[in-house]
Amino acid sequence: MLRSQFRPLAAGVSAFCQSSLRLAALRGYATQVRSNHDSDASTALSGAGAQADYEPVKMRTYKPRTPGLRHLKRPINDHLWKGRPYLPLTFPKKGHGKGGRNNQGVITVRHRGGGHKRRIRTVDFERWAPGPHLVERIEYDPGRSAHIALLTRKANGKKTYIVAAEGMRAGDVVHSYRQGIPKDLLDSMGGVIDPGVLASKTAWRGNCLPMHMIPVGTNVFNVGSQAKGGAVFCRSAGTYATVISKEEETREDGSKVVTGRFVVVRLQSGEIRRVSKDACATIGVASNVMHHYRQLGKAGRKRWLNIRPTVRGLAMNAFEHPHGGGRGKSKGNRIPTSPWGTPSKGGFKTRRKSNINKWVVTPRVRNMGKRRDKKTA
């Protein structure tokens, strides 16, 4: 009697197991698992005392089907282009330069070599071309941590790559005002340049402006240093600078005019420096801001990125490193040094005191091997 009662239940369990196995077979190799910092953290922070500008870290994790997937964490970038790059703007990375060699074949950068085959993307850091540019797509670039955007100039259809701003998506329209204010924009303001109206029409994410047109307090990236050069600061993922001050004077009608030659910006390191007022800068923050939260998960993924292992000096022979040799773990009773004998803890000063960078207003804090005081940090 009991067997007849449990037969339908056993049939249902077996059917459920077969369906789950069928779904597992259809599922991909790595399955996305919700991160610990997802919606639960956001709802917890919505209570009293939560900071309004705090955003929980959202990373893509995977079910540990293999040891290499257990600790793998990646930023969620589902908007990236999944095809090949625009080939006319790329060229292959070949030769002994991929192994950290210079033009004479001497290793100048250690721990480089191997890695996946790549093509270098030609990125426009100057952005002299005026007019509207349509963002075709956002792409991954193996040569940098930030993402790049493929632009198409509406005037002639020419395509260029730029470093994408955080939040930029396909279909956006960006402009460059390095060659001046367009006539139609000047006519819309009545032929008179109003700084407030000008900023409201030009200071948009992804637009490239000269520094004197950017309002004070704006976050910018791809910051240039010279009037005719390209961007040299804040080009990697998640970096930005803040416009601190401009040498302005107020006229009788209340309008402000830039009279000085320089604009002061603050970098993320804490350094405050002067750049030319005609240097370029892009409004916003460099894309892929979650890049520094990633975990590669296994040593092989490090090798795919063209990075070779780093061997401790203590494990080397005596002729290979100052810490090498001896019986057991012995470094010869000397301070930590590099393979060439220079001190490796706290930095090694090589800059002359007379060689002062005149563009730096306030240098960044250098700890020189000492623990930073929390009161002065």
Side-chain angles (χ1 to χ4, degrees), residues 55 125 131 155 315:
E55 292 184 3
F125 287 107

Side-chain angles (χ1 to χ4, degrees), residues 28-35 59-78 295-297 301:
Y29 181 72
T31 307
Q32 177 186 353
V33 180
R34 291 180 62 86
S35 175
M59 303 293 289
R60 176 162 291 163
T61 58
Y62 298 87
K63 183 173 287 188
R65 301 178 187 276
T66 62
L69 291 176
R70 180 175 296 276
H71 300 289
L72 177 62
K73 289 184 179 181
R74 287 172 170 170
I76 300 176
N77 294 316
D78 295 333
Q295 295 182 11
L296 298 181
R301 189 167 278 107

Side-chain angles (χ1 to χ4, degrees), residues 313-314 317-325 329-345 348:
L314 196 69
N317 296 318
F319 77 97
E320 295 171 327
H321 199 280
H323 296 171
K329 295 183 178 179
S330 173
K331 61 182 176 59
N333 194 22
R334 62 179 298 168
I335 62 174
T337 60
S338 69
W340 304 277
T342 58
S344 59
K345 291 291 185 180
F348 183 62

Side-chain angles (χ1 to χ4, degrees), residues 17 104 182 224 273 342 348:
C17 293
Q104 298 177 351
R273 65 182 297 140
T342 58
F348 183 62

Side-chain angles (χ1 to χ4, degrees), residues 40-350:
D40 297 337
S42 60
T43 53
L45 287 170
S46 61
Q51 297 180 1
D53 56 348
Y54 179 83
E55 292 184 3
V57 178
K58 294 183 179 180
M59 303 293 289
R60 176 162 291 163
T61 58
Y62 298 87
K63 183 173 287 188
R65 301 178 187 276
T66 62
L69 291 176
R70 180 175 296 276
H71 300 289
L72 177 62
K73 289 184 179 181
R74 287 172 170 170
I76 300 176
N77 294 316
D78 295 333
H79 62 282
L80 293 183
W81 172 253
K82 296 178 177 58
R84 299 195 66 185
Y86 184 67
L87 289 180
L89 294 177
T90 63
F91 59 94
K93 183 176 177 64
K94 295 182 179 179
H96 56 226
K98 193 176 180 183
R101 272 77 171 173
N102 61 4
N103 59 352
Q104 298 177 351
V106 179
I107 296 178
T108 56
V109 182
R110 300 191 300 160
H111 316 133
R112 298 289 177 92
H116 198 279
K117 185 168 61 174
R118 324 179 155 181
R119 296 185 71 87
I120 295 179
R121 278 70 165 171
T122 304
V123 179
D124 181 17
F125 287 107
E126 296 185 350
R127 298 187 65 178
W128 285 107
H133 291 71
L134 177 66
V135 178
E136 295 286 344
R137 59 198 186 214
I138 309 295
E139 297 184 10
Y140 166 78
D141 187 357
R144 68 191 70 253
S145 56
H147 298 148
I148 58 176
L150 181 64
L151 304 184
T152 301
R153 188 180 180 187
K154 292 188 176 181
N156 53 13
K158 183 179 179 181
K159 296 184 181 295
T160 53
Y161 275 129
I162 65 167
V163 176
E166 179 65 19
M168 183 182 291
R169 294 293 183 268
D172 294 350
V173 177
V174 295
H175 297 258
S176 176
Y177 298 98
R178 288 200 72 179
Q179 292 191 5
I181 303 174
K183 187 177 182 303
D184 56 349
L185 180 58
L186 189 61
D187 294 340
S188 65
M189 294 187 293
V192 180
I193 298 177
D194 186 351
V197 177
L198 182 63
S200 65
K201 292 181 177 293
T202 58
W204 289 83
R205 177 178 56 205
N207 287 354
C208 182
L209 283 75
M211 293 297 297
H212 65 85
M213 289 178 57
I214 301 176
V216 175
T218 306
N219 290 339
V220 293
F221 70 101
N222 275 8
V223 181
S225 179
Q226 301 176 0
K228 296 183 179 180
V232 292
F233 302 121
C234 305
R235 306 195 323 188
S236 58
T239 57
Y240 62 91
T242 306
V243 180
I244 297 299
S245 64
K246 297 185 287 185
E247 298 176 3
E248 299 176 326
E249 68 176 14
T250 305
R251 293 181 175 178
E252 296 179 355
D253 56 355
S255 62
K256 295 182 179 181
V257 180
V258 178
T259 58
R261 297 166 50 198
F262 304 103
V263 175
V264 181
V265 297
R266 182 177 64 235
L267 307 180
Q268 283 180 297
S269 62
E271 178 178 295
I272 299 176
R273 65 182 297 140
R274 297 184 301 169
V275 298
S276 173
K277 68 168 186 173
D278 296 320
C280 63
T282 305
I283 305 297
V285 180
S287 55
N288 199 14
V289 295
M290 299 298 178
H291 171 77
H292 64 289
Y293 291 112
R294 67 173 185 165
Q295 295 182 11
L296 298 181
K298 62 179 182 180
R301 189 167 278 107
K302 202 83 168 177
R303 302 302 297 267
W304 297 343
L305 297 177
N306 201 47
I307 301 175
R308 299 188 71 246
T310 301
V311 180
R312 295 171 297 125
L314 196 69
M316 297 183 185
N317 296 318
F319 77 97
E320 295 171 327
H321 199 280
H323 296 171
R327 297 194 178 190
K329 295 183 178 179
S330 173
K331 61 182 176 59
N333 194 22
R334 62 179 298 168
I335 62 174
T337 60
S338 69
W340 304 277
T342 58
S344 59
K345 291 291 185 180
F348 183 62
K349 293 183 179 180
T350 58

